[in-house]
Amino acid sequence: MSLLVVGTVAFDEIETPLGKTGRILGGAATYVALAASHLIKDIRISAVVGGDFPQQYMDIFSARNLNTSGIQVVPGEKSFYWSGRYHSNMNQRDTLATELNVLADFNPVLPAAYRDSKYLMLGNLTPSIQKKVIEQMDHRPKLICMDTMNFWMDTAWDDLLSVVSMVDVLAVNEEEARQLSGEYSLVRAAKKIQTMGPEYIIVKRGEYGALLFYGDRKFYAPAMPLEEVIDPTGAGDSFAGGFMGYLTKTDDISYESMKNGLIYGAALASFSVEKFGTKRLMEISAQDIQDRLVEFVKLVSFSV
Ligand code: AMP
């Protein structure tokens, strides 16, 4: 089965209490696609970068067999740039800079070979661009999952609501769920967001795991307790990559399958935070993932 991933491909600069990176490979689509590439083979990326985007980063995508024919390169322009600083608890961060650069004028044109993708992950990106991608598909994908962030709620509210109304799953963090719904209780927030369109709501809660809401049903996936978190950047996107990778692999979008998807998401996210940037996602093996899934089973198994 095929997965189309749309989102930013970026330069990130990250500061945590444990250190600073220079400009490194980042972006929502980057993390989603790298995480999903451990589960499925047919992944297509739609994104835009500037002429400053190094070939060496494109080679990283190729090495993981990602289809990059839909990454548009704009010569003479700069790639999207984001920098952030984490507080000592690593759960909170300040955005220091968001420079849209090429993203400001991005008009995605999906290659013909992308338009039949069965699964679609709308990674964090300008809402109007997310919408243009949905509109270019030959058929509506079997499942559309969307991520977004407060930045777009502050700058593109109407466009955002319009895309939210078109998707099946909305995956946001708890502050975003609260801002979008105007409700503090996550249960109420999920109920309210369900009335905006998506049947499934995933609320990501960093080191406190993730919740899935569907109708009146709820499921909780913990985050793996780790001795040391080096860099939480991209955890939410790696989570989405694991989740969508699992659904695409099994081609099963039932609630039961989504519950497993949440655990796969949590597993991929737990690796992502173990090193700066995308480093850890590039080195893990199928066996590492299998072992971590077993750890998850042990973490939550009990009898009553
Ligand atoms: P996460 O830690 O999962 O929220 O994702 C971090 C990634 O999102 C970084 O690699 C950034 O390049 C990317 N990012 C940050 N701000 C934005 C934004 N406004 N739109 C799209 N992507 C963003």
Side-chain angles (χ1 to χ4, degrees):
M1 294 301 142
S2 49
L3 173 65
L4 171 56
V5 179
V6 187
T8 43
V9 168
F11 286 123
D12 283 356
E13 216 163 327
I14 303 154
E15 199 178 320
T16 79
L18 298 169
K20 260 184 183 182
T21 68
R23 285 151 73 89
I24 56 170
L25 172 62
T30 300
Y31 282 99
V32 172
L34 288 176
S37 72
H38 290 281
L39 306 173
I40 48 170
K41 294 209 160 31
D42 189 351
I43 301 176
R44 303 134 183 212
I45 304 180
S46 169
V48 65
V49 294
D52 56 354
F53 196 72
Q55 182 59 37
Q56 156 208 356
Y57 288 170
M58 286 292 192
D59 295 344
I60 289 176
F61 294 144
S62 310
R64 298 237 31 104
N65 280 322
L66 301 169
N67 186 338
T68 57
S69 59
I71 301 186
Q72 296 170 34
V73 183
V74 189
E77 299 275 332
K78 285 195 206 162
S79 302
F80 177 81
Y81 168 84
W82 174 82
S83 80
R85 182 192 294 135
Y86 290 86
H87 296 218
S88 48
N89 67 12
M90 289 283 202
N91 242 4
Q92 280 173 303
R93 76 174 172 210
D94 298 324
T95 289
L96 302 178
T98 301
E99 292 173 15
L100 297 180
N101 299 327
V102 278
L103 196 61
D105 298 316
F106 180 37
N107 185 22
V109 180
L110 294 186
Y114 279 29
R115 295 176 187 223
D116 65 348
S117 302
K118 200 159 177 191
Y119 288 82
L120 172 57
M121 177 66 216
L122 297 172
N124 189 12
L125 190 71
T126 321
S128 59
I129 300 175
Q130 292 176 315
K131 188 171 176 178
K132 276 189 190 155
V133 169
I134 301 178
E135 288 167 351
Q136 285 177 54
M137 303 299 291
D138 284 343
H139 306 281
R140 189 189 191 279
K142 181 165 171 178
L143 188 89
I144 306 178
C145 177
M146 168 184 179
D147 186 6
T148 188
M149 75 186 299
N150 51 358
F151 182 84
W152 303 116
M153 292 179 207
D154 296 337
T155 60
W157 179 255
D158 291 342
D159 287 344
L160 180 66
L161 287 192
S162 168
V163 196
V164 167
S165 74
M166 299 168 85
V167 307
D168 305 293
V169 185
L170 184 78
V172 284
N173 71 30
E174 58 188 314
E175 284 138 51
E176 292 154 359
R178 287 180 175 132
Q179 186 171 346
L180 187 59
S181 64
E183 296 284 352
Y184 186 81
S185 149
L186 294 178
V187 178
R188 283 207 185 132
K191 277 196 183 139
K192 190 139 172 209
I193 298 170
Q194 278 163 340
T195 67
M196 299 175 180
E199 270 191 291
Y200 296 88
I201 313 296
I202 295 174
V203 181
K204 299 171 286 180
R205 308 187 63 213
E207 66 172 310
Y208 307 112
L211 289 159
L212 170 67
F213 295 93
Y214 172 58
D216 285 331
R217 298 200 246 178
K218 352 181 198 333
F219 176 73
Y220 172 65
M224 180 55 66
L226 298 170
E227 251 180 64
E228 193 165 57
V229 170
I230 301 291
D231 173 17
T233 308
D237 304 313
S238 306
F239 181 96
F243 173 74
M244 285 301 277
Y246 177 80
L247 297 184
T248 306
K249 186 185 169 82
T250 57
D251 197 21
D252 178 353
I253 57 168
S254 63
Y255 177 65
E256 288 307 309
S257 175
M258 292 212 188
K259 285 160 59 174
N260 290 340
L262 246 68
I263 302 292
Y264 272 76
L268 268 305
S270 72
F271 286 117
S272 180
V273 303
E274 287 177 339
K275 291 195 176 169
F276 274 109
T278 55
K279 200 160 188 278
R280 190 75 179 117
L281 283 184
M282 291 189 285
E283 62 185 27
I284 52 171
S285 66
Q287 190 59 51
D288 292 328
I289 297 173
Q290 202 50 43
D291 292 347
R292 184 126 320 164
L293 289 168
V294 171
E295 277 185 65
F296 268 96
V297 173
K298 286 193 202 145
L299 183 67
V300 292
S301 299
F302 59 93
S303 55
V304 282

